[in-house]
Amino acid sequence: VDNGSRDGTAELVRKRFPFVQVLALPENRGFAGGNNVGLKQMKGRHAVLLNDDTLVRRDAFEACVRFLDANPDVGVAGPQLENPDGSRQNCIHNYPSLVTELLPKGAMELLFPRRFPSKRFVHAGPIDVEAVLGACLFVRREVFENVGVMPEDYFFFLEETEWCYRIRQAGWRIMHVPEARIVHLLGASTKLRFPAETRIEYHRSLYHFFRKNRGLVSASLVVVMRSLKSLLYVVLGLPRVFTRRGRESWRVRRKVAASHLRGCPKGWGLAASRLSERS
């Protein structure tokens, strides 16, 4: 699926790889929208979502497929994501809640490792989790035929988290499979190129998740808290504007704070950046 690129990618793939079925979209529909087009066309028993900033380790795909085939009650499986040097990345998500917003993430992971699993601990085998990162996510075809594909009311961030939320509500298990390893060049596709837009888009998705799944009261509390925090970061970052790196960081924080003051409008996020012109 070519998600609205403008650089001739679709034509190049058709020419060099004529055995590939190319579905070229007229515009970038976001992470969920683009992947859903492919999901609706697939004919296998499992599908895999895979970011373009990843490298697949030997036997990683096979390990996840074997695990799904051996555990029919598992709907989604996610591998261990790694940095290029082999160190672990966080690839397990908990559903956003007031608890996760109000309490320090690191403390919860240390005090309650079973409830909040993370890269801090080595997992000897597969573990049940709430959600896995969409950078590499295996899903059973039967699952999305029953539950539906990813929600497309998110452009980027948390669409796979809400998808896992719905899948677990339908009675399926979500599993982290540490023996399968994928190198993830974290943030190469968005964070490094569009730092302010990436943060703004994440906040928009977070507030949307709260409004849909936690209620307006919880959503309002989180918006107020995060808005105040973004303004505080701008104030605390003022002394650093005299260095080039500090000035760039402060500009990002200033733009994030400004977006909060304007209600996180859609036109300020990734959908309006140059990312929307790329595949």
Side-chain angles (χ1 to χ4, degrees):
V1 178
D2 183 89
N3 208 0
S5 71
R6 298 289 184 270
D7 59 1
T9 295
E11 292 76 13
L12 179 65
V13 173
R14 288 191 181 103
K15 181 178 179 180
R16 295 188 59 184
F17 307 99
F19 55 88
V20 174
Q21 180 184 2
V22 179
L23 303 175
L25 304 183
E27 60 183 5
N28 191 322
R29 298 183 186 177
F31 183 77
N35 275 293
N36 285 346
V37 171
L39 288 172
K40 293 173 182 177
Q41 296 291 322
M42 61 90 66
K43 297 178 175 61
R45 62 188 186 279
H46 310 306
V48 58
L49 310 185
L50 184 69
N51 273 19
D52 56 4
D53 58 348
T54 54
L55 300 171
V56 181
R57 298 278 196 194
R58 183 182 299 274
D59 201 43
F61 279 8
E62 292 84 351
C64 289
V65 170
R66 287 195 300 266
F67 184 79
L68 285 172
D69 286 343
N71 297 273
D73 60 335
V74 175
V76 170
Q80 175 63 59
L81 300 182
E82 298 178 336
N83 295 306
D85 63 4
S87 57
R88 294 186 301 277
Q89 290 181 10
N90 271 326
C91 49
I92 302 169
H93 282 179
N94 287 94
Y95 306 134
S97 67
L98 286 180
V99 171
T100 62
E101 286 295 306
L102 295 174
L103 299 180
K105 180 179 179 181
M108 293 188 294
E109 292 172 351
L110 285 172
L111 295 174
F112 310 103
R114 295 184 59 128
R115 175 67 179 81
F116 299 97
S118 70
K119 68 177 182 179
R120 295 174 182 272
F121 301 97
V122 176
H123 306 290
I127 60 171
D128 282 275
V129 297
E130 291 186 353
V132 295
L133 195 68
C136 186
L137 180 155
F138 282 79
V139 58
R140 193 182 300 276
R141 179 181 179 183
E142 181 184 354
V143 169
F144 61 81
E145 287 182 339
N146 172 252
V147 177
V149 292
M150 278 190 290
E152 297 187 17
D153 45 352
Y154 299 85
F155 182 78
F156 204 62
F157 295 120
L158 294 177
E159 56 279 281
E160 80 269 43
T161 304
E162 180 169 314
W163 200 27
C164 288
Y165 182 76
R166 286 164 36 192
I167 290 170
R168 282 192 87 198
Q169 285 183 320
W172 297 91
R173 297 167 69 196
I174 313 291
M175 300 291 291
H176 170 62
V177 184
E179 69 172 287
R181 299 181 299 132
I182 301 286
V183 176
H184 182 210
L185 307 176
L186 186 62
S189 59
T190 56
K191 188 176 181 180
L192 297 180
R193 289 186 289 142
F194 313 109
E197 290 81 359
T198 298
R199 295 186 187 185
I200 291 169
E201 194 68 43
Y202 174 77
H203 282 98
R204 290 186 62 253
S205 294
L206 179 67
Y207 303 152
H208 186 58
F209 182 95
F210 266 89
R211 285 191 291 267
K212 286 182 67 177
N213 303 292
R214 303 302 188 197
L216 290 178
V217 173
S218 293
S220 299
L221 287 173
V222 172
V223 170
V224 170
M225 182 180 67
R226 289 240 171 189
S227 297
L228 292 175
K229 186 185 294 187
S230 68
L231 291 171
L232 180 62
Y233 283 156
V234 172
V235 175
L236 295 178
L238 280 172
R240 300 179 59 198
V241 299
F242 299 102
T243 67
R244 180 179 177 181
R245 185 174 180 179
R247 188 161 50 249
E248 291 175 354
S249 175
W250 185 79
R251 286 172 178 167
V252 170
R253 292 179 173 181
R254 183 184 64 181
K255 190 168 184 178
V256 173
S259 75
H260 276 89
L261 293 176
R262 293 173 176 261
C264 291
K266 186 175 181 179
W268 284 47
L270 287 173
S273 72
R274 285 175 294 166
L275 180 67
S276 64
E277 300 177 358
R278 294 175 179 263
S279 61

